[in-house]
Amino acid sequence: MKKFNFKRLLKFLVNRVFITGVLLAIQVALFVIMLAGFQEYFVYFYAICIVLSLLVVLYIVNDRSNPGYKIAWIILVLIVPVFGGLFYLLVSGSLMNRRVHKKMHVVEERIKAAAKADKEIIKELSYISEDAANEARYISRYAYSPLHKNTYTEYLPMGEIKFQKLIEELKKAEKFIFMEYFIIEEGIMWNSILEVLKEKASQGVDVRLIYDDMGCIMTLPYGYNRKLEAMGIKCCIFNPFKPVISSILNNRDHRKICVIDGHIGFTGGINLADEYINAYEKHGHWKDAALLIKGPAVWNLTSMFLSMWEYIKGVEEDYDLYKPEEEKLKAINSQGFVQPYCDNPLDNEPVGETVYLNLINKAKRYVYINTPYLIIDNEMVTSLCIAAKSGIDVRIVTPHIEDKWYAHMVTRAYYPVLLESGVKIYEYTPGFIHAKTFVVDDEYGVVGTVNLDYRSLYLHFECGAWLYKTESVLQIKEDYIKTLELCQEISLEECRKISLPVRFLRALLRVFAPLM
């Protein structure tokens, strides 16, 4: 007979996730008890809730949000009219606290002032390509992210390579290290980085870390920020998770940013956990990507980090203190144009999706895409299909081994309509592909954190780097071609052989995909 493990049970009972689940269950139970206690007034309660749900539907119809998001909510509210309207008000995020919007607006104004666009660089780009210049102008205006040249970029096609490069550059830090990540987990990768951060903090380097509380709820112990502060590492948590049903839980900091001394930066899909460097197998082989940036374009990442730090801490930073030394910038002479950018879910401007749509619509020969999720709206489906129908070679690589069964099922639900239009779809058979990359016509590239799903495109704080005619664009393409050799191409015939129950479940999940 197996011996009862009291320590394991105790650890489970004090686990933050378990306690949170219990508290949420208590809230639901109290709500049910309250309703039971008002049975004699149920008719009035029912009438009020129906009116509320109708008002909510009217609000949703006239809201500026994505049509797919609207449809999902309208169906949910109409299916459960008694609680649907109330549930929407609690968790949708559309009626988010005005204080949060006001606070973010103040930070936006600060980053706008810091991110002064160099009109001469865009003018220079317009002589080469007006299409490229138009997209650069859009990013500059709506993401407050100026265009740069003379910036070195190197595409890092695996987490292991990014990890090695990151450690090398961190050890060179002299002034400051800024890190902002969605997931951090103790293990080989993070512990190695932490040792360097501790050493640098002890040397007087300004070391700061932001991590998302929801992203780390299963990977870091509660109060981990205090442990880091005791090591001399300044730390703050984005949107601390509270066991209360609330709309603000929808907005997460999904960015991955590292800035070293203002002239070296990293971004891309790689979090700080061991599966990202294949130190252990979580969902088969983990394929990811990152971008190393050296030069003036790193300033965009610096200002992104500082703006988020200001937002969380409620302080004002002197951005000029963190500008790179001119001498170090002069030493860099690299071809092409680089524009790191951010996406803010509170400004009603879907920068991440618009950048992708512009790339698809401008393509003349090919569009190659890596994405872990393919849960897209009508605009994205239409653009991909039109491009393929027009003779553009459109290819999309998704995972073969899923990390979330429901997300993978919805991803596959989109295959038939895309395949019918000529889009080629591949699944990465060794495991899970987490890279978020676009490469177009040997000219354009994007490496970042933005997944092709509703959460990334509409609800999360994201970032990426737009590239035009840099050496790294061809590096992305080269890696993509190599990745295809490890992929299984999906045919339309395979999709049509799927059983009726699976088709029904996929269709049902696809309707509610915007809410996942």
Side-chain angles (χ1 to χ4, degrees):
M1 186 175 176
K2 197 172 181 180
K3 188 177 178 181
F4 178 73
N5 193 325
F6 179 76
K7 286 185 177 179
R8 183 177 293 177
L9 176 63
L10 184 63
K11 185 178 179 181
F12 173 75
L13 293 176
V14 299
N15 183 276
R16 189 177 172 203
V17 177
F18 175 77
I19 294 171
T20 298
V22 170
L23 291 174
L24 289 173
I26 290 171
Q27 291 176 60
V28 174
L30 288 173
F31 185 67
V32 172
I33 292 168
M34 183 186 73
L35 290 180
F38 286 95
Q39 280 186 351
E40 57 185 296
Y41 304 107
F42 182 75
V43 174
Y44 304 106
F45 175 78
Y46 182 82
I48 291 170
C49 285
I50 291 294
V51 171
L52 177 63
S53 290
L54 288 173
L55 291 173
V56 163
V57 168
L58 287 174
Y59 174 83
I60 294 170
V61 169
N62 291 281
D63 188 31
R64 294 174 60 185
S65 57
N66 182 270
Y69 194 67
K70 290 182 182 182
I71 291 169
W73 270 114
I74 289 171
I75 291 173
L76 185 61
V77 171
L78 293 179
I79 288 175
V80 195
V82 179
F83 303 115
L86 186 61
F87 185 65
Y88 176 83
L89 295 176
L90 287 172
V91 305
S92 72
S94 293
L95 301 178
M96 189 176 286
N97 191 311
R98 287 185 181 180
R99 183 181 62 82
V100 175
H101 278 283
K102 186 177 179 181
K103 186 178 177 183
M104 179 51 72
H105 179 70
V106 172
V107 174
E108 275 184 359
E109 291 302 312
R110 297 266 297 146
I111 192 173
K112 195 186 298 186
K116 294 176 181 176
D118 188 331
K119 293 180 181 179
E120 289 303 312
I121 296 179
I122 290 186
K123 189 176 180 181
E124 182 181 335
L125 177 57
S126 68
Y127 291 137
I128 301 168
S129 168
E130 194 59 49
D131 283 345
N134 285 338
E135 186 157 11
R137 287 189 191 98
Y138 169 80
I139 295 171
S140 182
R141 288 170 184 165
Y142 292 96
Y144 317 126
S145 303
L147 179 69
H148 299 272
K149 63 177 186 176
N150 292 329
T151 296
Y152 170 81
T153 55
E154 181 180 350
Y155 178 68
L156 309 177
M158 290 297 300
E160 295 92 319
I161 299 172
K162 189 256 175 115
F163 178 39
Q164 179 187 350
K165 293 273 187 181
L166 181 60
I167 291 290
E168 288 175 5
E169 298 298 341
L170 286 172
K171 288 180 178 178
K172 300 175 188 175
E174 297 176 352
K175 294 182 178 179
F176 65 88
I177 297 171
F178 295 159
M179 302 185 78
E180 181 180 343
Y181 283 85
F182 180 59
I183 295 173
I184 297 174
E185 183 172 14
E186 293 178 301
I188 295 170
M189 186 180 193
W190 171 241
N191 293 350
S192 301
I193 292 169
L194 184 57
E195 284 302 311
V196 180
L197 298 182
K198 283 195 301 184
E199 182 183 351
K200 288 298 174 181
S202 68
Q203 294 171 0
V205 174
D206 182 4
V207 182
R208 305 190 197 186
L209 175 69
I210 298 172
Y211 65 83
D212 184 89
D213 202 31
M214 181 71 84
C216 297
I217 195 169
M218 298 289 289
T219 59
L220 291 179
Y222 180 69
Y224 190 73
N225 58 312
R226 292 193 292 271
K227 180 179 176 180
L228 294 176
E229 292 276 1
M231 298 175 186
I233 299 168
K234 300 172 187 175
C235 182
C236 59
I237 304 172
F238 178 85
N239 201 354
F241 181 77
K242 297 173 184 176
V244 178
I245 299 172
S246 168
S247 63
I248 202 167
L249 296 178
N250 272 326
N251 301 120
R252 311 312 315 177
D253 183 2
H254 194 242
R255 298 174 184 173
K256 291 92 181 169
I257 294 172
C258 179
V259 178
I260 302 162
D261 292 343
H263 58 86
I264 296 170
F266 292 86
T267 190
I270 301 165
N271 283 299
L272 308 181
D274 283 356
E275 65 264 31
Y276 293 86
I277 58 171
N278 289 293
Y280 83 99
E281 188 175 293
K282 189 173 185 179
H283 305 294
H285 184 267
W286 194 286
K287 166 69 176 166
D288 219 318
L291 190 72
L292 167 63
I293 306 172
K294 294 184 179 181
V298 176
W299 173 246
N300 293 22
L301 296 178
T302 306
S303 57
M304 282 180 220
F305 179 91
L306 288 171
S307 68
M308 185 61 79
W309 189 269
E310 286 186 328
Y311 173 71
I312 300 170
K313 287 284 193 180
V315 298
E316 279 196 14
E317 294 286 347
D318 184 350
Y319 286 44
D320 290 337
L321 294 176
Y322 304 98
K323 287 187 174 179
E325 297 173 20
E326 287 296 327
E327 289 303 314
K328 290 187 177 180
L329 296 183
K330 287 178 183 176
I332 299 169
N333 185 15
S334 193
Q335 69 180 35
F337 298 83
V338 183
Q339 194 169 21
Y341 62 91
C342 56
D343 195 1
N344 172 3
L346 305 183
D347 63 3
N348 295 316
E349 182 62 40
V351 172
E353 182 176 42
T354 303
V355 168
Y356 286 164
L357 289 174
N358 279 337
L359 289 174
I360 296 166
N361 296 335
K362 286 179 173 64
K364 294 178 176 64
R365 294 188 291 116
Y366 73 83
V367 179
Y368 294 162
I369 302 168
N370 283 320
T371 180
Y373 312 111
L374 189 62
I375 306 172
I376 47 182
D377 59 17
N378 184 66
E379 290 83 353
M380 186 64 69
V381 171
T382 302
S383 290
L384 290 167
C385 290
I386 289 174
K389 288 176 180 178
S390 302
I392 308 299
D393 181 11
V394 182
R395 305 188 187 199
I396 304 172
V397 174
T398 66
H400 185 68
I401 299 176
E402 74 272 12
D403 65 336
K404 304 178 185 73
W405 69 269
Y406 55 87
H408 197 54
M409 188 164 277
V410 179
T411 289
R412 286 176 165 176
Y414 282 90
Y415 288 179
V417 65
L418 295 171
L419 290 169
E420 286 170 3
S421 298
V423 176
K424 296 173 185 175
I425 298 174
Y426 304 81
E427 289 187 353
Y428 182 67
T429 50
F432 188 74
I433 188 159
H434 190 254
K436 309 98 167 45
T437 67
F438 270 60
V439 61
V440 177
D441 294 346
D442 292 357
E443 293 185 343
Y444 300 93
V446 168
V447 181
T449 68
V450 187
N451 296 317
L452 282 177
D453 67 2
Y454 282 86
R455 290 208 152 269
S456 267
L457 298 174
Y458 295 104
L459 295 176
H460 290 168
F461 289 83
E462 303 280 0
C463 67
W466 180 84
L467 309 165
Y468 180 72
K469 288 194 173 180
T470 62
E471 298 94 330
S472 53
V473 169
L474 295 180
Q475 293 167 2
I476 300 169
K477 181 187 178 183
E478 182 183 0
D479 179 60
Y480 196 91
I481 299 301
K482 288 180 181 177
T483 301
L484 288 179
E485 295 173 5
L486 302 172
C487 293
Q488 165 191 334
E489 186 171 0
I490 305 300
S491 68
L492 189 56
E493 289 70 27
E494 287 177 72
C495 295
R496 287 172 175 165
K497 290 177 184 177
I498 302 300
S499 65
L500 191 60
V502 173
R503 286 189 191 183
F504 174 77
L505 182 57
R506 285 181 181 178
L508 183 64
L509 288 172
R510 181 173 169 176
V511 170
F512 294 104
L515 309 183
M516 292 181 183

